[in-house]
Amino acid sequence: MRWWFAIKNAWQQRAYLKRFMCSADYQIHALEEVTPQKLEEANVAILVLDFDGVLAGHDAKEPTEDAARWLRSLSHSIGEQRIAILTNKPKPERVRYFAEHFPSILLVQGTKKKPYPDGLQAIAAYKGLPPHRLGLIDDRLLTGMLATCLSYTHGWYFYPARTHFWRHPIKESFFAFLRWFERAMVRIF
Ligand SMILES: [Mg+2]
């Protein structure tokens, strides 16, 4: 059961999870903060991006215009080979979008969804790098950030998440609740 795995491991990793809420070094508030220098300082060779909440609102088919612009500019400076997308929802439209616009960016689902570390471990293995050379940006504490704790990869908590309330009011409200709930839980732990 994924939720039980998340809660059990969140308890065990609580000290690490608290860092994402308390320390500015482990947070990102806008994609523009992610520069080649930042990756170098963190010794990150492969930047792994979550999709929903980071590149666009929930269920979007492609990144927002500004996220795509940032991705284009980062790809120019570090190369698409150093960027990967790890999403629990690799919808066909997304796969098509990346194949067309960013063909060398790796799009991964992982055999088991986050917070299982499988996706991050698969990217590390595919790139032939130790996991600590990967850095994941994700808007969820108990999925993405927990996966970084369990796979010994670098993590940046993306806060506040990107949303599209007017387009998916029910889904976005549900995920806003989940984000609030997991922050409360990590605080109590
Ligand atoms: Mg997300």
Side-chain angles (χ1 to χ4, degrees):
M1 290 267 266
R2 195 158 73 102
W3 66 268
W4 176 242
F5 177 87
I7 290 174
K8 192 180 66 184
N9 283 281
W11 171 255
Q12 284 163 2
Q13 302 288 329
R14 60 193 183 278
Y16 296 102
L17 287 173
K18 278 181 203 288
R19 286 187 318 196
F20 297 114
M21 285 173 58
C22 305
S23 166
D25 292 345
Y26 293 94
Q27 291 176 6
I28 278 174
H29 306 289
L31 290 173
E32 289 68 30
E33 291 171 27
V34 185
T35 58
Q37 292 81 352
K38 192 178 181 75
L39 299 179
E40 202 169 309
E41 279 162 23
N43 194 29
V44 163
I46 306 292
L47 177 66
V48 186
L49 299 160
D50 173 37
F51 192 100
D52 298 271
V54 173
L55 293 178
H58 257 276
D59 262 356
K61 293 182 178 130
E62 51 187 64
T64 61
E65 251 174 62
D66 62 313
R69 209 176 311 122
W70 165 79
L71 201 51
R72 170 84 48 220
S73 127
L74 188 70
S75 299
H76 276 306
S77 44
I78 67 170
E80 288 182 16
Q81 305 82 345
R82 287 188 55 196
I83 304 172
I85 310 285
L86 177 61
T87 174
N88 283 347
K89 292 184 197 160
K91 295 150 86 77
E93 301 93 330
R94 295 179 178 179
V95 174
R96 244 191 329 266
Y97 173 86
F98 281 99
E100 189 179 330
H101 298 273
F102 300 95
S104 298
I105 289 184
L106 189 65
L107 190 90
V108 176
Q109 178 177 26
T111 45
K112 279 172 152 183
K113 292 178 175 186
K114 296 172 275 187
Y116 291 102
D118 302 47
L120 288 168
Q121 288 165 344
I123 295 171
Y126 180 79
K127 297 286 184 184
L129 287 165
H132 70 265
R133 299 297 311 281
L134 265 54
L136 171 71
I137 300 180
D138 200 298
D139 63 306
R140 294 286 311 280
L141 283 174
L142 293 198
T143 61
M145 292 301 98
L146 183 53
T148 66
C149 299
L150 298 175
S151 57
Y152 305 102
T153 57
H154 198 87
W156 284 292
Y157 180 41
F158 191 76
Y159 181 83
R162 221 176 256 268
T163 53
H164 261 317
F165 269 100
W166 55 270
R167 200 176 285 168
H168 295 293
I170 296 170
K171 263 186 202 164
E172 289 289 14
S173 306
F174 173 69
F175 282 102
F177 168 75
L178 276 187
R179 289 188 202 101
W180 171 83
F181 179 77
E182 60 190 14
R183 287 172 68 81
M185 188 180 262
V186 170
R187 206 168 281 141
I188 294 166
F189 279 1

